[in-house]
Amino acid sequence: MPTARDALLDAALRALAERPWHTVRMADVAALAGVSRQTLYNEFSTKAGLATAVLCQAADRYLTGVDRALTAPAPAHPVAVARWTVRAARADPLVKGLLTGLWAEGLPRPGHELPGHEVPDPARLLALARDRMVAASHAPAPPSAVAERCETALRLALSHVIAPRRPVPAQCAEPDSWSPITPMITSEIDTSFSVETRSPRKTMP
């Protein structure tokens, strides 16, 4: 059964879907959640505290999706995570803001965090995703090289989030948020992860 906190976060998202954050009232969120205003204030203290919790929840949703993408076969990890990153940012303006620092009008924004409840900035969120990719990788390369390639895959995905390509007719039948970039990003990521692993004596594919 959802807790009062879960119900309040869900209510905050529903309120945000209908109107700009600055017009959302705490009383409205409490009413949508079916709890008292006192319960709301006990959970989040202030509207800034509620905004912080909403943003942290969005970051957690993104990272949960990264973990889910990493259940794919190991060689497909980078493309799977890049694919998820593009889809998540397209589907959720909060995730897009967290990943890029580009915030649409009417959204809550970081900057009023309470101690112990910090919203990750884009660099931190990217690093958290990258570290998950590195931990799941079986690439025959030094960890620093794997980390660099994982970050490259993420940055390629984010570049499309910020400046997507124009759709190309007759693409493969994938969701619109991904199909225009599948050939480009998969090619770049596959190249990045298949380049040689350099050592003093040999080069490995």
Side-chain angles (χ1 to χ4, degrees):
M1 179 180 295
T3 64
R5 185 181 183 87
D6 292 336
L8 286 163
L9 289 171
D10 180 68
L13 290 175
R14 282 187 283 149
L16 180 60
E18 295 175 357
R19 53 192 182 276
W21 181 251
H22 71 272
T23 69
V24 173
R25 301 183 306 158
M26 295 288 270
D28 297 333
V29 174
L32 281 171
V35 302
S36 68
R37 281 183 289 177
Q38 187 58 53
T39 298
L40 173 56
Y41 283 105
N42 287 345
E43 288 288 344
F44 303 106
S45 299
T46 64
K47 187 176 177 180
L50 176 59
T52 295
V54 166
L55 293 171
C56 287
Q57 183 190 58
D60 288 344
R61 281 197 302 273
Y62 168 69
L63 292 173
T64 297
V66 170
D67 291 336
R68 189 164 51 247
L70 291 173
T71 63
H77 285 172
V79 170
V81 174
R83 186 185 299 241
W84 161 245
T85 297
V86 173
R87 286 175 171 161
R90 287 288 187 85
D92 189 337
L94 294 176
V95 170
K96 180 178 180 179
L98 290 165
L99 284 169
T100 66
L102 302 174
W103 296 92
E105 289 295 326
L107 295 180
R109 303 186 186 193
H112 304 285
E113 290 86 351
L114 301 175
H117 297 83
E118 296 182 359
V119 178
D121 63 19
R124 175 62 179 156
L125 189 54
L126 184 146
L128 290 170
R130 178 202 63 207
D131 291 348
R132 281 165 161 75
M133 295 171 71
V134 172
S137 174
H138 301 293
S144 60
V146 175
E148 183 176 351
R149 294 170 192 172
C150 290
E151 186 161 331
T152 296
L154 288 166
R155 291 189 179 279
L156 282 167
L158 291 179
S159 71
H160 182 73
V161 170
I162 295 170
R165 288 181 62 187
R166 292 172 62 90
V168 179
Q171 278 285 345
C172 54
E174 294 191 65
D176 291 341
S177 61
W178 176 252
S179 61
I181 61 169
T182 295
M184 177 186 70
I185 285 190
T186 55
S187 175
E188 292 292 338
I189 292 174
D190 287 343
T191 297
S192 174
F193 276 78
S194 64
V195 296
E196 71 276 6
T197 300
R198 294 181 177 83
S199 70
R201 296 188 175 184
K202 65 180 181 178
T203 297
M204 297 176 60

